[in-house]
Amino acid sequence: MDDLHEDQGRTAPPADRLIDRLIDRLREGLPAEALLTDPDVTASYAHDMASFCEAGDPAVVVLPRTVEQVQHVMRTATELRVPVVPQGARTGLSGAANASDGCIVLSLVKMDRILEISPVDRIAVVEPGVVNATLSRAVAEQGLYYPPDPSSWEMCTIGGNIGTASGGLCCVKYGVTAEYVLGLDVVLADGRLLTTGRRTAKGVAGYDLTRLFVGSEGSLGVVVRAVLALKPQPPAQLVLAAEFASAAAACDAVCAIMERGHTPSLLELMDRTTIQAVNRMAHMGLPESTEALLLAAFDTPDPAADLAAVGELCTAAGATQVVPAEDAAESELLLQARRLSLTALETVKSATMIDDVCVPRSRLAAMLEGTARIAEKYGLTIGVCAHAGDGNTHPVVCFDHADADESRRARESFDEIMALGLELGGTITGEHGVGVLKKEWLARELGPVGVELQRDIKRAFDPLGILNPGKLF
């Protein structure tokens, strides 16, 4: 990097001279408040919420408000060969938003406008910094529905959701973020603005570049605008809770529900460890004696009838108790317990590693049973909550980060859980992404030909390798 700038004297080391030049160039196209250079402040932008992921020291943090400002940042970065790490709310769990040494952290949280909501076209046009819950509430006011709802929906941004292809509780019926992104405006590595996709209901013109950017973790370009598909607001859902004496019995119920053709709006599982953690944190009175709690919901015109049918299937699978909610308030209470699962498990020990392995529904029981064996093998507490309806499990490894041996066992157990998922025909990530945490495992899943082609795609969009380097590959 030293040969890319002029000699500005011998009093400062090369890296410092480059940083000075970088900041000067950025100031030419940015307001003063958009630049953060105090090391104590920039350090707070260094990483997301993942454990065991290296993070560097950013040279500067930029908080743009306009597309033109993002373009200026990328042109400057290309000119000076400086890496750029795009960020949203940093609620990610894979290290995808972690800074690299000397980088520009490009935080998009200030680009937070909802530009359009169209009930006729059933679309919303938004900037990347819009918080998921803010969008959901805004479209609901017009009788519309934006389904993707990650557990962090009150904090996470749409840009971050797009970058990691986020899921949520409703995926079993409504699908993940990728299925709602119709079009994007993306600033490329050299500062050019690319528009992909459409705002029409149909469109098959050319390669689907829009889908390529979804889940790319900021490695191909910087999303600055998104056209999102909306659905009509469904009826209020009702939730059923079913207790089971084993995780295997709960998984049998999941398989029966899906095999019979039911379309729940939610089908979630919490194991005993998770239930106990939620109770300790929130005093919700969940049944701590049960080994697994299955939550099923329907937002159909007659949800009570659907819940009754699913309740019978749960009983046939061995449920010890089946309790349907009587109204929306009771339903929301049960959903709140599920939403608190990851937060509650974080209180078990000083640190957690949250896995994100997705397997075929038919192998869900094997995944949970195998995870329990891994927990016993390593002498660790591993709680599991899952989007059971689509086979997406979240084993949460709880450990003491100050204990070197326990930290080692945590990392090894995490890897064994991913290996188990692949053995069962699954994938290493269903919705959290790869980032830094799972780079080695991505190569194992894709194979050498897959990795080679994906690296070729990366080079086509980012020939200098300045966009979120060190992630994915």
mmCIF file of all heavy atoms in Angstrom, residues 306-348:
data_model
loop_
_atom_site.group_PDB
_atom_site.id
_atom_site.type_symbol
_atom_site.label_atom_id
_atom_site.label_comp_id
_atom_site.label_asym_id
_atom_site.label_seq_id
_atom_site.Cartn_x
_atom_site.Cartn_y
_atom_site.Cartn_z
ATOM 1 N N ASP A 306 -57.068 -25.148 12.475
ATOM 2 C CA ASP A 306 -55.746 -25.644 12.079
ATOM 3 C C ASP A 306 -54.944 -26.082 13.299
ATOM 4 O O ASP A 306 -54.252 -27.111 13.270
ATOM 5 C CB ASP A 306 -54.989 -24.565 11.310
ATOM 6 C CG ASP A 306 -55.575 -24.311 9.936
ATOM 7 O OD1 ASP A 306 -55.802 -25.283 9.205
ATOM 8 O OD2 ASP A 306 -55.828 -23.141 9.602
ATOM 9 N N LEU A 307 -55.021 -25.300 14.369
ATOM 10 C CA LEU A 307 -54.301 -25.658 15.581
ATOM 11 C C LEU A 307 -54.836 -26.958 16.184
ATOM 12 O O LEU A 307 -54.064 -27.771 16.702
ATOM 13 C CB LEU A 307 -54.389 -24.538 16.614
ATOM 14 C CG LEU A 307 -53.579 -23.270 16.333
ATOM 15 C CD1 LEU A 307 -53.704 -22.297 17.494
ATOM 16 C CD2 LEU A 307 -52.111 -23.589 16.086
ATOM 17 N N ALA A 308 -56.133 -27.141 16.098
ATOM 18 C CA ALA A 308 -56.717 -28.382 16.624
ATOM 19 C C ALA A 308 -56.184 -29.593 15.866
ATOM 20 O O ALA A 308 -55.839 -30.627 16.461
ATOM 21 C CB ALA A 308 -58.234 -28.320 16.528
ATOM 22 N N ALA A 309 -56.084 -29.470 14.537
ATOM 23 C CA ALA A 309 -55.569 -30.574 13.724
ATOM 24 C C ALA A 309 -54.105 -30.857 14.050
ATOM 25 O O ALA A 309 -53.688 -32.016 14.174
ATOM 26 C CB ALA A 309 -55.734 -30.249 12.239
ATOM 27 N N VAL A 310 -53.335 -29.798 14.208
ATOM 28 C CA VAL A 310 -51.921 -29.970 14.537
ATOM 29 C C VAL A 310 -51.764 -30.507 15.957
ATOM 30 O O VAL A 310 -50.884 -31.325 16.234
ATOM 31 C CB VAL A 310 -51.174 -28.633 14.362
ATOM 32 C CG1 VAL A 310 -49.816 -28.668 15.040
ATOM 33 C CG2 VAL A 310 -51.013 -28.326 12.880
ATOM 34 N N GLY A 311 -52.640 -30.084 16.852
ATOM 35 C CA GLY A 311 -52.608 -30.600 18.217
ATOM 36 C C GLY A 311 -52.802 -32.101 18.259
ATOM 37 O O GLY A 311 -52.145 -32.811 19.035
ATOM 38 N N GLU A 312 -53.685 -32.624 17.414
ATOM 39 C CA GLU A 312 -53.903 -34.068 17.351
ATOM 40 C C GLU A 312 -52.646 -34.786 16.866
ATOM 41 O O GLU A 312 -52.293 -35.857 17.366
ATOM 42 C CB GLU A 312 -55.080 -34.374 16.425
ATOM 43 C CG GLU A 312 -56.424 -33.920 16.983
ATOM 44 C CD GLU A 312 -57.564 -34.194 16.020
ATOM 45 O OE1 GLU A 312 -57.286 -34.769 14.933
ATOM 46 O OE2 GLU A 312 -58.716 -33.837 16.328
ATOM 47 N N LEU A 313 -51.965 -34.189 15.897
ATOM 48 C CA LEU A 313 -50.727 -34.791 15.398
ATOM 49 C C LEU A 313 -49.638 -34.780 16.467
ATOM 50 O O LEU A 313 -48.861 -35.726 16.588
ATOM 51 C CB LEU A 313 -50.250 -34.053 14.146
ATOM 52 C CG LEU A 313 -51.139 -34.176 12.912
ATOM 53 C CD1 LEU A 313 -50.597 -33.303 11.779
ATOM 54 C CD2 LEU A 313 -51.220 -35.632 12.454
ATOM 55 N N CYS A 314 -49.597 -33.714 17.244
ATOM 56 C CA CYS A 314 -48.616 -33.643 18.326
ATOM 57 C C CYS A 314 -48.899 -34.711 19.387
ATOM 58 O O CYS A 314 -47.976 -35.385 19.872
ATOM 59 C CB CYS A 314 -48.635 -32.255 18.964
ATOM 60 S SG CYS A 314 -47.921 -30.946 17.929
ATOM 61 N N THR A 315 -50.163 -34.867 19.723
ATOM 62 C CA THR A 315 -50.534 -35.891 20.711
ATOM 63 C C THR A 315 -50.173 -37.280 20.201
ATOM 64 O O THR A 315 -49.638 -38.116 20.940
ATOM 65 C CB THR A 315 -52.037 -35.798 21.010
ATOM 66 O OG1 THR A 315 -52.336 -34.508 21.562
ATOM 67 C CG2 THR A 315 -52.456 -36.878 22.003
ATOM 68 N N ALA A 316 -50.439 -37.534 18.926
ATOM 69 C CA ALA A 316 -50.119 -38.832 18.342
ATOM 70 C C ALA A 316 -48.616 -39.089 18.339
ATOM 71 O O ALA A 316 -48.170 -40.243 18.433
ATOM 72 C CB ALA A 316 -50.669 -38.908 16.918
ATOM 73 N N ALA A 317 -47.827 -38.003 18.248
ATOM 74 C CA ALA A 317 -46.369 -38.148 18.243
ATOM 75 C C ALA A 317 -45.789 -38.278 19.645
ATOM 76 O O ALA A 317 -44.586 -38.503 19.793
ATOM 77 C CB ALA A 317 -45.739 -36.950 17.533
ATOM 78 N N GLY A 318 -46.635 -38.113 20.672
ATOM 79 C CA GLY A 318 -46.166 -38.305 22.038
ATOM 80 C C GLY A 318 -46.154 -37.065 22.899
ATOM 81 O O GLY A 318 -45.540 -37.069 23.973
ATOM 82 N N ALA A 319 -46.823 -36.016 22.482
ATOM 83 C CA ALA A 319 -46.868 -34.804 23.306
ATOM 84 C C ALA A 319 -47.534 -35.110 24.640
ATOM 85 O O ALA A 319 -48.566 -35.784 24.699
ATOM 86 C CB ALA A 319 -47.626 -33.696 22.583
ATOM 87 N N THR A 320 -46.930 -34.606 25.712
ATOM 88 C CA THR A 320 -47.497 -34.823 27.042
ATOM 89 C C THR A 320 -48.554 -33.788 27.379
ATOM 90 O O THR A 320 -49.407 -34.016 28.234
ATOM 91 C CB THR A 320 -46.385 -34.776 28.100
ATOM 92 O OG1 THR A 320 -45.690 -33.524 27.998
ATOM 93 C CG2 THR A 320 -45.400 -35.905 27.881
ATOM 94 N N GLN A 321 -48.504 -32.650 26.703
ATOM 95 C CA GLN A 321 -49.518 -31.621 26.901
ATOM 96 C C GLN A 321 -49.556 -30.736 25.663
ATOM 97 O O GLN A 321 -48.514 -30.392 25.093
ATOM 98 C CB GLN A 321 -49.220 -30.772 28.136
ATOM 99 C CG GLN A 321 -50.337 -29.782 28.476
ATOM 100 C CD GLN A 321 -50.109 -29.104 29.827
ATOM 101 O OE1 GLN A 321 -49.080 -29.296 30.459
ATOM 102 N NE2 GLN A 321 -51.077 -28.323 30.273
ATOM 103 N N VAL A 322 -50.747 -30.356 25.256
ATOM 104 C CA VAL A 322 -50.936 -29.472 24.102
ATOM 105 C C VAL A 322 -51.833 -28.327 24.546
ATOM 106 O O VAL A 322 -52.964 -28.556 25.013
ATOM 107 C CB VAL A 322 -51.581 -30.223 22.917
ATOM 108 C CG1 VAL A 322 -51.854 -29.240 21.776
ATOM 109 C CG2 VAL A 322 -50.679 -31.360 22.443
ATOM 110 N N VAL A 323 -51.334 -27.099 24.421
ATOM 111 C CA VAL A 323 -52.071 -25.929 24.908
ATOM 112 C C VAL A 323 -52.178 -24.902 23.794
ATOM 113 O O VAL A 323 -51.192 -24.224 23.457
ATOM 114 C CB VAL A 323 -51.374 -25.297 26.131
ATOM 115 C CG1 VAL A 323 -52.181 -24.105 26.626
ATOM 116 C CG2 VAL A 323 -51.171 -26.327 27.232
ATOM 117 N N PRO A 324 -53.365 -24.739 23.193
ATOM 118 C CA PRO A 324 -53.537 -23.685 22.192
ATOM 119 C C PRO A 324 -53.810 -22.345 22.873
ATOM 120 O O PRO A 324 -54.533 -22.275 23.874
ATOM 121 C CB PRO A 324 -54.747 -24.159 21.393
ATOM 122 C CG PRO A 324 -55.530 -24.994 22.345
ATOM 123 C CD PRO A 324 -54.546 -25.613 23.294
ATOM 124 N N ALA A 325 -53.212 -21.282 22.335
ATOM 125 C CA ALA A 325 -53.500 -19.946 22.849
ATOM 126 C C ALA A 325 -54.936 -19.571 22.500
ATOM 127 O O ALA A 325 -55.458 -19.956 21.448
ATOM 128 C CB ALA A 325 -52.534 -18.934 22.253
ATOM 129 N N GLU A 326 -55.553 -18.810 23.385
ATOM 130 C CA GLU A 326 -56.941 -18.429 23.162
ATOM 131 C C GLU A 326 -57.072 -17.126 22.384
ATOM 132 O O GLU A 326 -58.118 -16.861 21.793
ATOM 133 C CB GLU A 326 -57.671 -18.300 24.502
ATOM 134 C CG GLU A 326 -57.811 -19.630 25.243
ATOM 135 C CD GLU A 326 -58.661 -19.497 26.488
ATOM 136 O OE1 GLU A 326 -59.128 -18.365 26.770
ATOM 137 O OE2 GLU A 326 -58.877 -20.517 27.175
ATOM 138 N N ASP A 327 -56.029 -16.309 22.402
ATOM 139 C CA ASP A 327 -56.130 -15.019 21.722
ATOM 140 C C ASP A 327 -54.737 -14.547 21.308
ATOM 141 O O ASP A 327 -53.723 -15.204 21.557
ATOM 142 C CB ASP A 327 -56.812 -13.977 22.617
ATOM 143 C CG ASP A 327 -56.146 -13.856 23.989
ATOM 144 O OD1 ASP A 327 -54.912 -14.037 24.079
ATOM 145 O OD2 ASP A 327 -56.856 -13.575 24.970
ATOM 146 N N ALA A 328 -54.714 -13.371 20.675
ATOM 147 C CA ALA A 328 -53.458 -12.819 20.171
ATOM 148 C C ALA A 328 -52.479 -12.504 21.295
ATOM 149 O O ALA A 328 -51.265 -12.656 21.135
ATOM 150 C CB ALA A 328 -53.737 -11.563 19.348
ATOM 151 N N ALA A 329 -52.990 -12.090 22.441
ATOM 152 C CA ALA A 329 -52.100 -11.739 23.550
ATOM 153 C C ALA A 329 -51.353 -12.963 24.069
ATOM 154 O O ALA A 329 -50.135 -12.915 24.300
ATOM 155 C CB ALA A 329 -52.909 -11.093 24.676
ATOM 156 N N GLU A 330 -52.066 -14.062 24.248
ATOM 157 C CA GLU A 330 -51.405 -15.294 24.681
ATOM 158 C C GLU A 330 -50.416 -15.780 23.628
ATOM 159 O O GLU A 330 -49.329 -16.281 23.956
ATOM 160 C CB GLU A 330 -52.443 -16.383 24.954
ATOM 161 C CG GLU A 330 -53.222 -16.196 26.246
ATOM 162 C CD GLU A 330 -54.093 -17.406 26.550
ATOM 163 O OE1 GLU A 330 -53.926 -18.447 25.868
ATOM 164 O OE2 GLU A 330 -54.931 -17.312 27.453
ATOM 165 N N SER A 331 -50.783 -15.637 22.375
ATOM 166 C CA SER A 331 -49.894 -16.049 21.288
ATOM 167 C C SER A 331 -48.607 -15.250 21.313
ATOM 168 O O SER A 331 -47.504 -15.796 21.180
ATOM 169 C CB SER A 331 -50.598 -15.874 19.933
ATOM 170 O OG SER A 331 -51.714 -16.733 19.822
ATOM 171 N N GLU A 332 -48.719 -13.956 21.495
ATOM 172 C CA GLU A 332 -47.533 -13.101 21.498
ATOM 173 C C GLU A 332 -46.627 -13.427 22.675
ATOM 174 O O GLU A 332 -45.398 -13.344 22.565
ATOM 175 C CB GLU A 332 -47.945 -11.635 21.533
ATOM 176 C CG GLU A 332 -46.789 -10.644 21.442
ATOM 177 C CD GLU A 332 -45.894 -10.876 20.235
ATOM 178 O OE1 GLU A 332 -46.417 -11.258 19.164
ATOM 179 O OE2 GLU A 332 -44.665 -10.690 20.372
ATOM 180 N N LEU A 333 -47.213 -13.810 23.808
ATOM 181 C CA LEU A 333 -46.408 -14.177 24.968
ATOM 182 C C LEU A 333 -45.542 -15.398 24.655
ATOM 183 O O LEU A 333 -44.349 -15.436 24.997
ATOM 184 C CB LEU A 333 -47.315 -14.472 26.158
ATOM 185 C CG LEU A 333 -46.611 -14.775 27.485
ATOM 186 C CD1 LEU A 333 -45.817 -13.574 27.956
ATOM 187 C CD2 LEU A 333 -47.623 -15.191 28.540
ATOM 188 N N LEU A 334 -46.132 -16.383 23.979
ATOM 189 C CA LEU A 334 -45.364 -17.567 23.612
ATOM 190 C C LEU A 334 -44.276 -17.221 22.600
ATOM 191 O O LEU A 334 -43.147 -17.711 22.687
ATOM 192 C CB LEU A 334 -46.292 -18.633 23.038
ATOM 193 C CG LEU A 334 -47.241 -19.299 24.037
ATOM 194 C CD1 LEU A 334 -48.255 -20.163 23.298
ATOM 195 C CD2 LEU A 334 -46.455 -20.139 25.035
ATOM 196 N N LEU A 335 -44.589 -16.366 21.648
ATOM 197 C CA LEU A 335 -43.594 -15.974 20.656
ATOM 198 C C LEU A 335 -42.472 -15.180 21.291
ATOM 199 O O LEU A 335 -41.303 -15.298 20.883
ATOM 200 C CB LEU A 335 -44.251 -15.155 19.543
ATOM 201 C CG LEU A 335 -45.255 -15.896 18.668
ATOM 202 C CD1 LEU A 335 -45.693 -15.008 17.516
ATOM 203 C CD2 LEU A 335 -44.653 -17.188 18.124
ATOM 204 N N GLN A 336 -42.794 -14.377 22.287
ATOM 205 C CA GLN A 336 -41.757 -13.606 22.969
ATOM 206 C C GLN A 336 -40.766 -14.541 23.646
ATOM 207 O O GLN A 336 -39.551 -14.286 23.649
ATOM 208 C CB GLN A 336 -42.384 -12.666 23.999
ATOM 209 C CG GLN A 336 -41.402 -11.734 24.696
ATOM 210 C CD GLN A 336 -40.746 -10.749 23.755
ATOM 211 O OE1 GLN A 336 -41.190 -10.555 22.629
ATOM 212 N NE2 GLN A 336 -39.680 -10.117 24.206
ATOM 213 N N ALA A 337 -41.249 -15.620 24.187
ATOM 214 C CA ALA A 337 -40.351 -16.598 24.798
ATOM 215 C C ALA A 337 -39.373 -17.147 23.771
ATOM 216 O O ALA A 337 -38.171 -17.280 24.036
ATOM 217 C CB ALA A 337 -41.168 -17.730 25.410
ATOM 218 N N ARG A 338 -39.868 -17.457 22.585
ATOM 219 C CA ARG A 338 -38.975 -17.962 21.527
ATOM 220 C C ARG A 338 -37.989 -16.885 21.081
ATOM 221 O O ARG A 338 -36.810 -17.158 20.859
ATOM 222 C CB ARG A 338 -39.813 -18.458 20.344
ATOM 223 C CG ARG A 338 -39.007 -18.822 19.115
ATOM 224 C CD ARG A 338 -37.987 -19.910 19.382
ATOM 225 N NE ARG A 338 -37.159 -20.155 18.209
ATOM 226 C CZ ARG A 338 -36.044 -19.498 17.928
ATOM 227 N NH1 ARG A 338 -35.603 -18.560 18.755
ATOM 228 N NH2 ARG A 338 -35.354 -19.794 16.843
ATOM 229 N N ARG A 339 -38.451 -15.650 20.958
ATOM 230 C CA ARG A 339 -37.560 -14.568 20.521
ATOM 231 C C ARG A 339 -36.457 -14.301 21.549
ATOM 232 O O ARG A 339 -35.384 -13.816 21.201
ATOM 233 C CB ARG A 339 -38.353 -13.288 20.269
ATOM 234 C CG ARG A 339 -39.267 -13.337 19.050
ATOM 235 C CD ARG A 339 -39.885 -11.971 18.790
ATOM 236 N NE ARG A 339 -40.876 -11.998 17.726
ATOM 237 C CZ ARG A 339 -40.594 -11.942 16.419
ATOM 238 N NH1 ARG A 339 -39.343 -11.871 16.031
ATOM 239 N NH2 ARG A 339 -41.558 -11.968 15.522
ATOM 240 N N LEU A 340 -36.711 -14.615 22.787
ATOM 241 C CA LEU A 340 -35.720 -14.378 23.839
ATOM 242 C C LEU A 340 -34.706 -15.515 23.968
ATOM 243 O O LEU A 340 -33.771 -15.415 24.766
ATOM 244 C CB LEU A 340 -36.430 -14.194 25.189
ATOM 245 C CG LEU A 340 -37.203 -12.890 25.388
ATOM 246 C CD1 LEU A 340 -37.971 -12.944 26.710
ATOM 247 C CD2 LEU A 340 -36.266 -11.686 25.362
ATOM 248 N N SER A 341 -34.875 -16.565 23.189
ATOM 249 C CA SER A 341 -34.065 -17.764 23.385
ATOM 250 C C SER A 341 -32.571 -17.488 23.314
ATOM 251 O O SER A 341 -31.803 -17.868 24.209
ATOM 252 C CB SER A 341 -34.441 -18.828 22.349
ATOM 253 O OG SER A 341 -35.745 -19.298 22.555
ATOM 254 N N LEU A 342 -32.129 -16.850 22.255
ATOM 255 C CA LEU A 342 -30.691 -16.628 22.095
ATOM 256 C C LEU A 342 -30.151 -15.695 23.164
ATOM 257 O O LEU A 342 -29.073 -15.924 23.726
ATOM 258 C CB LEU A 342 -30.402 -16.074 20.702
ATOM 259 C CG LEU A 342 -30.766 -16.982 19.522
ATOM 260 C CD1 LEU A 342 -30.374 -16.319 18.209
ATOM 261 C CD2 LEU A 342 -30.092 -18.338 19.643
ATOM 262 N N THR A 343 -30.910 -14.648 23.480
ATOM 263 C CA THR A 343 -30.491 -13.717 24.524
ATOM 264 C C THR A 343 -30.390 -14.434 25.867
ATOM 265 O O THR A 343 -29.451 -14.208 26.642
ATOM 266 C CB THR A 343 -31.480 -12.553 24.627
ATOM 267 O OG1 THR A 343 -31.562 -11.900 23.357
ATOM 268 C CG2 THR A 343 -31.037 -11.543 25.670
ATOM 269 N N ALA A 344 -31.355 -15.293 26.149
ATOM 270 C CA ALA A 344 -31.351 -16.007 27.430
ATOM 271 C C ALA A 344 -30.177 -16.965 27.531
ATOM 272 O O ALA A 344 -29.540 -17.084 28.582
ATOM 273 C CB ALA A 344 -32.670 -16.760 27.604
ATOM 274 N N LEU A 345 -29.858 -17.648 26.452
ATOM 275 C CA LEU A 345 -28.734 -18.578 26.488
ATOM 276 C C LEU A 345 -27.403 -17.845 26.680
ATOM 277 O O LEU A 345 -26.440 -18.423 27.202
ATOM 278 C CB LEU A 345 -28.704 -19.425 25.209
ATOM 279 C CG LEU A 345 -29.787 -20.511 25.130
ATOM 280 C CD1 LEU A 345 -29.888 -21.072 23.728
ATOM 281 C CD2 LEU A 345 -29.511 -21.632 26.136
ATOM 282 N N GLU A 346 -27.354 -16.591 26.293
ATOM 283 C CA GLU A 346 -26.138 -15.806 26.506
ATOM 284 C C GLU A 346 -25.872 -15.543 27.984
ATOM 285 O O GLU A 346 -24.757 -15.181 28.357
ATOM 286 C CB GLU A 346 -26.235 -14.479 25.753
ATOM 287 C CG GLU A 346 -26.152 -14.629 24.238
ATOM 288 C CD GLU A 346 -26.432 -13.333 23.501
ATOM 289 O OE1 GLU A 346 -26.813 -12.345 24.173
ATOM 290 O OE2 GLU A 346 -26.282 -13.306 22.269
ATOM 291 N N THR A 347 -26.892 -15.728 28.824
ATOM 292 C CA THR A 347 -26.715 -15.510 30.261
ATOM 293 C C THR A 347 -26.213 -16.761 30.991
ATOM 294 O O THR A 347 -25.894 -16.689 32.174
ATOM 295 C CB THR A 347 -28.045 -15.048 30.908
ATOM 296 O OG1 THR A 347 -28.992 -16.133 30.872
ATOM 297 C CG2 THR A 347 -28.619 -13.848 30.182
ATOM 298 N N VAL A 348 -26.169 -17.895 30.301
ATOM 299 C CA VAL A 348 -25.757 -19.142 30.947
ATOM 300 C C VAL A 348 -24.281 -19.100 31.317
ATOM 301 O O VAL A 348 -23.868 -19.531 32.387
ATOM 302 C CB VAL A 348 -26.057 -20.343 30.027
ATOM 303 C CG1 VAL A 348 -25.483 -21.631 30.615
ATOM 304 C CG2 VAL A 348 -27.564 -20.481 29.809
#
